[in-house]
């Protein structure tokens, strides 16, 4: 008997796995019937999920934790049994600013771009017209990664620069109309801004945290329990979609599918670039290959590491100005559900890590890790400033950030 699941999503390339699981029949073969519902803002995706209009959602990872902890609305526990991908975002500035912070062109280095931007930010603040950045949601990895980079470069968010919320499909327009000086958004919206001449890409968020957690599959905790068998089937279908997505032989076809009006309603060419880690930095410039710009499948990319949820909680503490709370930290950690992921894939060909948590930012080279099933080699996962997050010392990490 097939399980019916409604999944909300935004028109972003990293909504690919549920879409492709549906379009290629992987979900149907697993015994799941998917209904995909497109929205235009993360707030709407979350509302649809919390009020029961959808069973699951393609969601920015921090928002699942914020909803569970009751940040900005009554708490409702969410569960994340599957990570839809790592990174895939970029920071795009208005062309005149981009050329000032990376005069040599191409992708800049985080510290160098930040040092140049600091001078501009200080000048603009003295003139009474501070730089403004658009991020897709207050509780988004985009917001946290942007802030992490800025403050590490000596730029104080909310003091030296302003940060506002712009839904992803409107980021290029906000940049073009001068409402913001920069955006941090997922593809294809950086590339849309570049094609329009509204902006130039200066950094990939993968340069800030090489393996930063990004979008997740989120469900209300009660729905996960009620429809658990269907969710396990869905996870297996999403893994098949992930393997299909990263195969170069399928890039053209998958870009065409994602470009359809019911999904991203955009250019298949721009979408294919993102899929193949090719970025157009500036209009009329050359394509730049940035390996692992999007990261959808290998190295246990879909595994919901508890340490990733805990790192996101530290950023929530930092930027909401709230004290560390052991019970909140426990609730945040429980949002990510490696136990469900394991239940879905045990006995399949998918590799399963032996641990459910790891030290984030600790690997500068390829490392073989212990597994429950199969074999896994993890690669570079560093933060650009050399910081390391040990989930056994959350309070100490928060203190070092202060």
């Amino acid at each position: 008997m097939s399980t019916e699941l409604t999944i909300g999503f935004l028109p972003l390339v990293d909504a690919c796995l549920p879409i492709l699981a549906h379009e290629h029949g992987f979900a149907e073969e697993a015994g799941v019937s998917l209904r995909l519902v497109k929205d235009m803002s993360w707030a709407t995706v979350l509302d649809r999920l919390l009020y029961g209009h959808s069973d699951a959602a393609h969601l920015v990872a921090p928002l699942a934790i914020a909803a569970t902890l009751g940040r900005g609305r009554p708490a409702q526990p969410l569960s994340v049994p599957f990570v839809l991908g790592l990174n895939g975002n970029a920071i795009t500035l208005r062309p005149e600013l981009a050329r000032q912070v990376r005069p040599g062109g191409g992708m800049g280095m985080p510290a160098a771009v930040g040092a140049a931007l600091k001078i501009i930010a200080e000048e603009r603040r003295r003139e009474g017209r501070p730089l403004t950045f658009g991020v897709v949601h207050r509780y988004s990895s985009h917001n946290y990664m942007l802030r992490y980079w800025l403050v590490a470069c000596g730029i104080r968010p909310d003091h030296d620069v302003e940060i506002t919320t712009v839904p992803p499909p409107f980021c290029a327009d906000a940049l073009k109309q001068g409402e913001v000086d920069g955006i941090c958004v997922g593809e294809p919206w950086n590339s849309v801004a570049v094609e329009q001449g509204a902006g130039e890409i200066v950094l990939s968020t993968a340069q800030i945290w090489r393996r930063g957690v990004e979008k997740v599959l989120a469900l209300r905790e009660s729905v996960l329990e009620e429809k658990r068998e269907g969710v396990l089937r869905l996870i297996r279908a999403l893994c098949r979609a992930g393997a299909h997505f990263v195969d170069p032989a399928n890039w053209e076809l998958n870009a065409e599918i994602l470009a359809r009006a019911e999904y991203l309603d955009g250019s298949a060419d721009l979408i294919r670039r993102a899929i193949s880690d090719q970025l157009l930095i500036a209009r009329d410039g050359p394509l730049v290959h940035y390996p692992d710009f999007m990261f959808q499948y290998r190295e246990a990319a879909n595994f919901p590491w508890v340490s990733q949820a805990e790192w996101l909680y530290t950023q929530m503490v930092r930027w909401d100005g709230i004290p560390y709370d052991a019970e909140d930290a426990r609730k945040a950690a429980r949002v990510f559900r490696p136990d469900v992921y394991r239940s879905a894939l045990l006995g399949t060909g998918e590799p399963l890590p032996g641990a459910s948590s790891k030290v984030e930012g600790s690997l500068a080279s390829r490392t073989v890790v212990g597994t429950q099933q199969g074999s896994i080699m993890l690669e570079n996962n560093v933060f650009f400033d050399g910081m390391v997050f040990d989930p056994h010392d959350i309070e100490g990490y928060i203190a070092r950030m202060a």
Side-chain angles (χ1 to χ4, degrees), residues 5 57 80 151 279:
L5 294 173
V80 168
V151 77
L279 294 175

Side-chain angles (χ1 to χ4, degrees), residues 243-392:
H244 190 279
F245 178 76
V246 301
D247 186 342
N250 302 320
W251 286 347
E252 292 287 351
L253 173 60
N254 287 337
E256 290 173 3
I257 291 172
L258 294 172
R260 292 177 189 168
E262 63 267 36
Y263 299 131
L264 274 64
D265 191 19
S267 162
D269 184 50
L270 296 190
I271 293 167
R272 190 194 183 284
R273 288 182 202 165
I275 292 174
S276 59
D277 295 331
Q278 301 282 332
L279 294 175
L280 186 66
I281 303 300
R283 189 164 65 173
D284 301 324
L287 284 174
V288 174
H289 180 232
Y290 187 81
D292 299 346
F293 170 72
M294 289 192 68
F295 207 78
Q296 253 56 43
Y297 181 62
R298 61 186 175 84
E299 291 184 43
N302 307 121
F303 186 76
W305 294 96
V306 172
S307 49
Q308 293 176 341
E310 291 172 320
W311 184 83
L312 293 173
Y313 171 70
T314 69
Q315 302 309 296
M316 196 169 294
V317 168
R318 185 181 200 181
W319 298 114
D320 277 3
I322 56 177
Y324 167 81
D325 182 276
E327 179 60 18
D328 278 355
R330 186 194 66 78
K331 290 178 181 177
R334 181 173 163 70
V335 170
F336 277 33
R337 297 292 300 275
D339 59 314
V340 179
Y341 185 93
R342 293 180 193 280
S343 294
L345 298 173
L346 193 62
T348 71
E350 293 294 334
L352 294 174
S356 294
S357 189
K358 61 186 182 355
V359 178
E360 302 292 345
S362 63
L363 301 180
S365 60
R366 292 184 175 184
T367 303
V368 176
V369 299
T371 62
Q372 178 184 5
Q373 173 176 286
S375 61
I376 298 175
M377 180 179 291
L378 300 182
E379 298 186 8
N380 182 339
N381 70 353
V382 300
F383 293 88
F384 88 98
D385 60 355
M387 285 279 282
V388 171
F389 172 66
D390 184 347
H392 293 105

